[in-house]
Amino acid sequence: MGWTKSTRRKLSLLIITAILCTFLTFIFLLYTERITTISRFKLNCPKRNSADDRALESDSIDNPGDDILDFDPDECSVNHGKWMFNSLIKPLYTDRTCPYIDKQYSCIKNGRKDSYYLHWEWKPDDCMLPRFDPEVALQKLQGKRLMFVGDSLQRNQWISFICLVESVIPKDKKSMKRGRVHSVFKAKEYDATIEFYWAPFLVESNTDIPIKSDPKQRIIKVDSISQRAKNWLGADILVFNTYVWWMSGLKTKALWGEFENGEEGYEELETAVSYRVALRTWANWIDSTIDPSKTKVFFTTMSPSHQKNKEWGNVNGIRCFNETRPVTKKGHWGTGSNKEMMNVVASVMRRMKVPVTVLNVTQLSEYRIDAHTSIYGELQGKLLTNEQRADPLHFADCIHWCLPGVPDTWNQLLFAYL
């Protein structure tokens, strides 16, 4: 059956209207030369399916408007999100441009060939993290002492923070003084210091300096902290961590009171029990000593190790060796992160009087099997030999992180909270 004149007339009008709208839109774009303004300019044209346009907008990783969104720590759950690959990311530093990176963390410099691990951004589900701005960070530190306290992973984060800011400081306006226990980076024109204090258990032990490589020889003085904590006084921002040194076995040797009789008198306790006692000792010192109106206190949660490749489905792999992409399974959690220890941290923090901001880096770091130093680091202060690199089962470091890398995201969180 043929179309009526009325139907043909309506169809013609629709076609003419569509052509006219397309023409007007084209003229408008030529005039403004800004495609982005079209969302604010509405023509009364027949609607078309814009699902593809919305998809492109939502998938845009490098949205220049992201940074102006407010970050509300009370509303944003930073541990829920995903890593997004962005080939346009250019790290603020490299392991060749930053002179302060230990060889232990200099993966590219030490021979790592792939660089995919440098191009992943952490995107929380319900907020937008502000990008790390070196000049703004230094302005926030004007006249202040920022001190990281903890183990080698805390040193990982400390060096990351220095490298993120040092490039905007003139050469004659910065300095570094390294010590076995206490190291200080100075940004002179800002009258600011970024410091690191070596305290792998936070409380005292017989293994800090010199380090006892055999965990069976380590004894932790779980009720004593004052001798080292006196060095933390006067800091305006304190960032603590302690975890990996506790995980050398099911039990730890704990001691109360003075070290006497050749360190005899210790008790073997379940690791979580010793950890709780030590954290309470630390918490009591914070509550009795720190004035929260003068000092901000942060605690970085456990950094996961990735020793068991079967946990993320790579049955033919060797620990974290040769991994080039993060785990994509939502909520992935391996045995390298101990939930019992995580619960100890939460329960101790709840009872504290002084507010402590928890930098929850565990879940976001759990996905990053690709970003460890692996065979591109050091062993006892020396780079791995070719023979050792050929044996990743025994020599790959699946605990520490390459720099630039994951600790930069930890500092992005710290920057947001500052």
Side-chain angles (χ1 to χ4, degrees), residues 314-354:
N314 187 2
V315 294
N316 297 317
I318 305 175
R319 300 166 66 202
C320 67
F321 171 68
N322 238 12
E323 296 289 355
T324 58
R325 294 179 63 88
V327 174
T328 57
K329 181 183 177 183
K330 195 79 169 176
H332 168 76
W333 193 280
T335 54
S337 297
N338 188 297
K339 289 190 176 182
E340 184 180 11
M341 302 286 272
M342 197 86 162
N343 290 333
V344 170
V345 173
S347 65
V348 171
M349 301 293 173
R350 279 196 298 267
R351 291 174 172 82
M352 294 180 68
K353 297 176 183 177
V354 172

Side-chain angles (χ1 to χ4, degrees), residues 274-336:
S274 293
Y275 190 62
R276 183 181 296 275
V277 175
L279 275 188
R280 283 179 176 171
T281 299
W282 167 82
N284 289 338
W285 181 85
I286 295 289
D287 283 340
S288 63
T289 311
I290 295 299
D291 181 351
S293 67
K294 296 179 180 179
T295 303
K296 290 183 179 180
V297 181
F298 295 85
F299 190 94
T300 305
T301 61
M302 66 184 71
S303 172
S305 62
H306 293 103
Q307 311 286 359
K308 300 179 180 180
N309 45 285
K310 291 183 180 179
E311 291 182 349
W312 55 86
N314 187 2
V315 294
N316 297 317
I318 305 175
R319 300 166 66 202
C320 67
F321 171 68
N322 238 12
E323 296 289 355
T324 58
R325 294 179 63 88
V327 174
T328 57
K329 181 183 177 183
K330 195 79 169 176
H332 168 76
W333 193 280
T335 54

Side-chain angles (χ1 to χ4, degrees), residues 214-229:
D214 183 359
K216 295 179 181 178
Q217 296 180 2
R218 298 173 182 172
I219 301 174
I220 308 165
K221 197 174 179 183
V222 291
D223 67 338
S224 182
I225 198 172
S226 58
Q227 286 302 307
R228 63 184 50 223

